[in-house]
Every structure is written in structure tokens, then in C-alpha cells.
Amino acid sequence: MALQAAALVPSAFSVPKEGKSSASLKDSSLFGVSLDHLKAEFGSASLRCKREFNLRTGPVRAQTAATTTPSVTKSAPEGKKTLRKGSVIVTGASSGLGLATAKALAETGKWHVIMACRDFLKAERAAKSAGIAKENYTIMHLDLASLDSVRQFVDNFRRSGRPLDVLVCNAAVYQPTAKEPSFTAEGFEISVGTNHLGHFLLSRLLLDDLNKSDYPSKRLIIVGSITGNTNTLAGNVPPKANLGDLRGLAGGLNGLNTSSMVDGGSFDGAKAYKDSKVCNMLTMQEFHRRYHEETGITFASLYPGCIATTGLFREHIPLFRLLFPPFQKFITKGFVSEEEAGKRLAQVVSDPSLTKSGVYWSWNKDSASFENQLSHEASDVEKARKVWEISEKLVGLA
Ligand code: LMG
Ligand code: NDP
Ligand code: PMR
């Protein structure tokens, strides 16, 4: 069960990382062939801001310690004003992209990273072997496949008294070879349950905390992916993401009296993952439309590149795990190292030039960021609203 205490663990030497990334090829082309014809216009999604600011965070349990947000600036010895350390929560920071991002942020000395992980000891070992200095991180238990755990995490975080300046929803599971669905504690199919619903509740609850922050740029980042975007070649590799009319999601994804798939179809683990990423990208935009204007919080998503070496593929067949990295490195040229991908996500967390809200970031071959276009479904305003409304019922916020 949940380890509920936050802990500080000591650091060790840095593990040498891979060399420079060879990431190239924009999302929208392969072998120079443009996929622009597949693109749906981004629409006016990001322009419509509405609703008075109403932070309905649901039945949050008692907050035992008032969040003591230290003043955003402090005086240096010479009387010069310096920015206080930012405080960022990264979910799934025990491996892959999350760990690399935690390391990249911690190394700047400007961030304290709260590593929100389901396996406390794994996270502790990972932080140590990545060489993250102990004063720059705290590990807190979070199992996104349990809504109780999400609520516990929020309580524990608030008790810690730390401010929240940036939240990064990064954790994910991918079950490409599962024949049968598995389920979260509340009985949701595990990919959408963890990747989308767990993060949906987490970010809804923590929005209030983000809003209280006095940091110059407050951000909520939800990691997306190219494979959920059918306006790209990668997004057209079967099975394709498709949320349909959301009948399975509305039914609770329990696989009993309703389908375990969002669109109501039969179970497909690879599709469930891609669907969950579409939910992630739609949620980011819905957050933007509902809350950006009132709160000033930047809501963003991204495709960090194909990080073909991470634990995400742990359940894929061995042949896939063997061939996938060279395939991405030498054929698609979409490969990016964990280190490089971590720097990209760290940019979205802290780069002063990436404050635009409602954006899905990607990177070109020189690792320069650009605002990418989402597929028609992943930018569908009406679908975003419906996913939001159904999700808030499922997680007990409505
Ligand atoms: C499926 O597995 C599951 O069955 C399904 O249940 C679901 O989970 C789904 O999406 C999830 O996955 C699919 C998996 C199984 O397919 C792959 O693994 C395909 C991706 C890997 C492709 C490897 C291609 C081999 C290339 C080797 C390159 C290495 C060296 C590079 C050196 C380059 C030097 C310049 O299938 C398999 O694992 C079996 C493998 C099947 C191979 C299919 C080949 C398709 C390759 C297409 C690439 C196009 C190449 C164009 C070449 C241009 C050259 C310039
Ligand atoms: P990893 O498997 O390396 O990392 C995923 C992390 O999520 C792990 O730390 C894992 O914990 C954690 N996690 C899984 N389930 C839960 C849970 N129930 N509660 C809390 N944490 C959980 O994969 P990546 O680093 O590749 O994936 C990170 C993000 O990047 C994901 O959102 C993924 O969709 C996205 N992405 C990845 C791409 C890639 O090519 N790899 C491409 C595009 C997007 P544990 O260590 O305990 O297993
Ligand atoms: Mg894909 C530009 C080409 C490109 C890119 C950037 C990716 C990224 N992939 C591309 C092309 C292809 N892939 C092609 C041509 C094929 C057929 C051989 C192919 C296959 C493939 C498989 C079987 N690719 C995959 C899989 C997976 O199981 C991965 C997946 O879908 O996970 C959900 C995957 C991925 N390809 C990517 C990326 C980034 C992934 C995985 C991670 C993710 O989206 O989160």
C-alpha cells in the first residue's frame, strides 16, 4: 500500500548518458513526404475562453497545513533580488522521460522536483543513480491507478507546505500485447484509467494549488504523443486512436456491462494507450479554455520525440524491443535519447519563451521547439468538453 511520507534521499554520482539525439523529421512528414493533407486545422480552440473562474475541486480532504508559499523573490546578500526555487511535481519520474526531466530540472539548481511515483524504492534508486542532488528532489508516493491514492497524494503534498508552481502529468502505461484488459482500483481499463483519469483527477485537484502560486510562470503540462495524432504517419500505424462517440468512457470502461474501450469497441491495448493520449491532449485544451484567462496558468502538451529505449515498451514482444530503437534511429529518424527528451520537457516546464497556453509542442531536427498541429479528433472542441464532463463524473468530481 501507499507509502505516504515524503522523503528526501541522498544523491550519488551522475550516470553517463547517451550522446546527442539524432531526432529529426517533423511530425508531419516521413521520407520528405508531407502529410499536410491529413491535417485538420487547429481551429479556434485556443481562442475561446469562457466561464467565470470556478475551481471545483471536489471532496478534498482536510488540509492540515496551510500552504506557505514563500515570497517569490528573496534578497541575495548583496541586496539583489533572486527568484526562489521553483517547485515542480513530475508524475512517473522513476524512469524514462520523467526521470530525465527531473534530472534536467534539478541540475539547473533552480527547481525542486517532487517525484510522484508508485514505486518509492525504485524512484529512490533511480534518483540516486541519475545523480540528482538530494536537496533538489523529494519522492512522494502516487499510484495513478487508484483515485484514493491520487487524493492521498494531494493531501500529503499540501501537508508538505511546498508551493506548487508547475505540474507535469508524465506517467503512463502501455499494454500492447495484452489479450484481456486489466483495471484500476476503481475498475477503469488500466491505460485510460491511469494515463487519463488518474491525471485528470490529480490536475483538477491541484489546480487550486497552482493558482495560489506566486511564481512568475505557473504551468500545467500533460504529455501527449504523435501516435494519438492521425494527421501523422506514426498516428496511422494500426490500431489508430479513435474515441468514437465516447460510449465506452461514459459507461465507465469496466468491461462488464460496458466496453473497456472509450469508443465502445473490443479491447485492444495499443489502441487504449493511443486513445488515452488523445484524452490527454483534449484535456490540456479544455483546461486552457476553462481556466487560462482567469488564472494565467499556462496549459501545454507535447510530443517529446520517439524515446524508443524507455520502459514504456516493457510489455512489447522481444523482437519489437530489439528492432524498434534502430528502426527509429536509422529509418524514421524520429529517435531521441532520454536525456534529450528530458531537456525538451524541462524547456516546457521552465523556458521563459514557452509560456503560450493551449499549445502542443514538438521539436525539429535541430531540437528547436515549434507549435505543432493536432489531428482533427485531438483538437475537437466538442469532444474535449464531453471527455471533460464524463471524466469528472467518473472520478467523483461531478
Ligand atoms: C504489433 O506488433 C502487435 O502485434 C499488436 O498487438 C500491437 O501491439 C501493435 O502497435 C502495437 O504492435 C507490431 C510489431 C511486431 O511491429 C513492429 O515491431 C514494427 C516496428 C519495427 C519495425 C522494424 C523494421 C525492421 C527494420 C530493422 C532496422 C534495423 C536496422 C536499421 C539499420 C538501418 C541502416 C540504414 O512485428 C515485428 O516485430 C516483426 C517485425 C516486422 C517487420 C515489419 C517491417 C516493416 C518495416 C517497414 C519500415 C519501412 C522501411 C522502409 C525502408 C526504407 C529504407 C530507406
Ligand atoms: P516509462 O515507462 O519509462 O515511464 C513511465 C513512468 O510512469 C514510470 O515511472 C512508471 O512507473 C510510471 N507509472 C506507470 N504507471 C503508474 C501509476 N499507476 N502510478 C504512477 N506512476 C506510474 O515510459 P516513458 O518515459 O517513455 O513515458 C513517459 C511519458 O512519455 C508517457 O506519458 C508517454 O506516453 C510519453 N511518450 C513516450 C514516448 C516514447 O517514445 N517513449 C513518445 C511519446 C510520448 P514505474 O517506474 O514504477 O514503472
Ligand atoms: Mg511508430 C515518422 C515515423 C514514425 C515515428 C515518428 C514513430 C513514432 N513511428 C513512426 C513510423 C512507424 N512506426 C512505422 C512506419 C511503423 C510500421 C513499421 C511503425 C510501427 C510502430 C509500432 C508497432 N510504431 C510504434 C509501434 C509501437 O508499438 C509504438 C506505439 O505505438 O506505442 C503506442 C510506436 C511508436 N512509434 C512512434 C512512437 C513515438 C511510438 C511510441 C510511443 C508513443 O506514442 O508514446
Side-chain angles (χ1 to χ4, degrees):
M1 245 324 273
L3 269 168
Q4 279 153 23
L8 289 168
V9 289
S11 60
F13 289 110
S14 182
V15 168
K17 290 280 184 177
E18 299 171 51
K20 272 218 84 63
S21 146
S22 59
S24 72
L25 214 71
K26 285 169 114 178
D27 278 14
S28 55
S29 67
L30 178 70
F31 308 129
V33 180
S34 168
L35 286 160
D36 283 352
H37 63 287
L38 286 168
K39 282 181 183 167
E41 81 282 19
F42 195 25
S44 56
S46 57
L47 299 174
R48 194 162 64 91
C49 290
K50 58 174 183 183
R51 290 173 195 221
E52 84 279 24
F53 179 49
N54 175 22
L55 289 174
R56 291 180 56 234
T57 50
V60 184
R61 285 166 204 158
Q63 195 176 324
T64 54
T67 310
T68 49
T69 309
S71 168
V72 79
T73 52
K74 60 178 185 208
S75 293
E78 322 79 56
K80 231 172 73 183
K81 297 273 182 197
T82 55
L83 192 62
R84 69 164 163 81
K85 252 189 185 183
S87 178
V88 53
I89 295 177
V90 181
T91 69
S94 50
S95 74
L97 177 61
L99 179 62
T101 305
K103 181 175 161 68
L105 289 168
E107 274 174 355
T108 64
K110 296 177 182 161
W111 291 91
H112 187 87
V113 185
I114 292 99
M115 300 169 68
C117 299
R118 63 176 165 178
D119 184 336
F120 193 94
L121 292 176
K122 180 178 176 185
E124 193 173 289
R125 277 195 290 268
K128 274 187 188 170
S129 67
I132 307 177
K134 68 171 190 275
E135 66 275 16
N136 291 337
Y137 72 95
T138 301
I139 298 168
M140 290 183 72
H141 185 266
L142 168 65
D143 181 357
L144 289 157
S146 156
L147 298 181
D148 276 348
S149 173
V150 172
R151 291 183 181 282
Q152 282 283 355
F153 171 83
V154 171
D155 284 353
N156 289 340
F157 175 73
R158 287 178 178 161
R159 281 198 197 99
S160 77
R162 287 189 186 280
L164 179 63
D165 306 318
V166 180
L167 169 63
V168 181
C169 297
N170 162 77
V173 286
Y174 175 39
Q175 299 201 317
T177 54
K179 297 275 176 285
E180 298 293 333
S182 43
F183 299 93
T184 65
E186 287 76 20
F188 307 126
E189 186 284 318
I190 205 156
S191 324
V192 176
T194 305
N195 309 354
H196 167 57
L197 292 171
H199 278 134
F200 180 79
L201 178 61
L202 180 72
S203 41
R204 285 288 301 273
L205 296 178
L206 289 175
L207 188 62
D208 209 7
D209 303 72
L210 271 177
N211 196 40
K212 284 181 191 148
S213 156
D214 63 347
Y215 207 68
S217 178
K218 312 180 267 197
R219 305 183 191 185
L220 197 168
I221 299 154
I222 309 177
V223 179
S225 180
I226 193 172
T227 54
N229 278 295
T230 49
N231 57 339
T232 64
L233 180 93
N236 278 284
V237 173
K240 291 205 258 182
N242 180 5
L243 305 186
D245 63 4
L246 307 174
R247 68 179 66 179
L249 185 67
L253 300 175
N254 59 34
L256 294 169
N257 51 356
T258 184
S259 164
S260 58
M261 301 293 290
V262 174
D263 65 357
S266 49
F267 176 71
D268 182 324
K271 180 174 182 299
Y273 169 88
K274 295 175 190 178
D275 290 349
S276 77
K277 290 284 117 185
V278 177
C279 292
N280 284 155
M281 294 179 280
L282 289 173
T283 300
M284 175 281 286
Q285 295 162 87
E286 191 64 17
F287 261 118
H288 167 74
R289 284 189 284 269
R290 289 178 184 243
Y291 295 116
H292 174 64
E293 206 169 74
E294 285 96 330
T295 63
I297 296 169
T298 296
F299 300 98
S301 186
L302 70 151
Y303 166 58
C306 186
I307 331 160
T309 52
T310 72
L312 195 67
F313 311 103
R314 66 188 96 182
E315 291 181 38
H316 224 311
I317 56 170
L319 183 60
F320 176 87
R321 281 187 273 128
L322 181 71
L323 295 179
F324 192 54
F327 172 66
Q328 293 293 344
K329 256 182 210 160
F330 303 113
I331 298 179
T332 74
K333 304 228 183 345
F335 181 87
V336 65
S337 70
E338 293 178 29
E339 186 184 19
E340 187 62 28
K343 286 185 194 156
R344 291 176 175 185
L345 179 47
Q347 268 177 42
V348 183
V349 169
S350 70
D351 194 304
S353 66
L354 302 189
T355 52
K356 188 164 172 192
S357 185
V359 173
Y360 167 64
W361 296 106
S362 295
W363 284 260
N364 65 23
K365 65 175 185 300
D366 304 316
S367 237
S369 58
F370 67 95
E371 278 178 45
N372 207 345
Q373 284 187 307
L374 291 157
S375 69
H376 180 69
E377 183 173 52
S379 55
D380 183 327
V381 174
E382 193 50 27
K383 223 171 240 195
R385 187 180 59 78
K386 285 188 186 146
V387 166
W388 179 281
E389 287 171 359
I390 296 170
S391 302
E392 63 183 0
K393 288 199 183 92
L394 294 178
V395 303
L397 290 174

